[in-house]
Amino acid sequence: MSMKAKNKPAPRRGPKMPNGLDAVYGVHAVRALLDRGEAPRELWLQEGEAGGRLVELVDQARARGARVSAHPRDDLDRLAQGAAHQGIVAFCPPLAFEAEAALWHRLQGWSNAEAPLLLVLDGVTDVHNFGACLRSADAAGAHGVVVPKDKSAPLNATVRKVACGAAESVPVYQVTNLARALGKLKALGVWITGTAGEAEASLFEADLAGPTALVMGAEGKGMRRLTREACDQLVKLPMAGSVSSLNVSVATGIGLFEAVRQRSLKP
């Protein structure tokens, strides 16, 4: 063995991520976390200018008891796995899904002036799509997102990053049996609108101004059979180009904001 090979330094290992905590990275996601009054356990900052640029967020986190430390950019890059961390990572307890019972309790005691608007995701397992759907749900003012216990993406750090704070602000209800849950929603007066490429009716012909649950299926496979059969109506997006379908998060945004448009026209 040559001396050059023998003396080659070992690759540098970054600090270990705190056990049992989720990483929330990016300025918008961390700010949303603090704005809701949550207290991160730790806050990692990129060494150098990031500390001065993010002084307001750092002060808020410190005031809530967070331990703040500076780290090389390489450490934050490895932690974010290619996502833009913008020089800041907060560590907090993992998010938890809302219980199914909480959904029924909320709908049975509905007191909002506006009719319920729910997003139902059947089989969306990609965390980036899940996060983007949550972000659209928050932007559209949806009252909650419903997902099945099986075949659904977790509420992990990537989802929180992509959602830009929506993962914490929009309730995500996890139900044991989605088809049965849709039946219960119908019994509570919520109209179930499913999306399917082979549907005859257009999304823009559907009435989404009343109590509505908009159901989106997984990319490629779409909704499962029992989910489809539980819907009151099936609609499609009119596609004028050569592509046959849109990314589920894009289609979700279009569907939710069509509901927003219709509701804005109600006297």
Side-chain angles (χ1 to χ4, degrees), residues 106-208:
R106 186 179 183 193
L107 290 174
Q108 287 163 354
W110 192 259
S111 58
N112 290 27
E114 187 179 38
L117 174 60
L118 300 171
L119 171 65
V120 180
L121 300 176
D122 182 24
V124 176
T125 57
D126 181 87
V127 289
H128 293 88
N129 284 336
F130 188 29
C133 288
L134 294 182
R135 188 171 180 177
S136 292
D138 177 77
H143 300 105
V145 177
V146 180
V147 298
K149 192 172 183 179
D150 63 327
K151 297 187 183 300
S152 179
L155 280 172
N156 64 13
T158 303
V159 171
R160 295 174 84 155
K161 167 61 179 174
V162 175
C164 288
E168 292 85 5
S169 61
V170 177
V172 184
Y173 301 98
Q174 189 179 68
V175 299
T176 303
N177 184 304
L178 185 58
R180 187 170 60 208
L182 293 178
K184 190 160 185 177
L185 285 174
K186 286 197 282 189
L188 291 169
V190 178
W191 188 256
I192 313 297
T193 299
T195 53
E198 71 277 10
E200 295 184 4
S202 164
L203 167 72
F204 307 122
E205 297 169 349
D207 182 359
L208 306 175

Side-chain angles (χ1 to χ4, degrees), residues 39-50:
R41 305 280 178 83
E42 292 194 29
L43 193 72
W44 287 8
L45 295 175
Q46 182 179 315
E47 290 177 343
E49 62 176 344

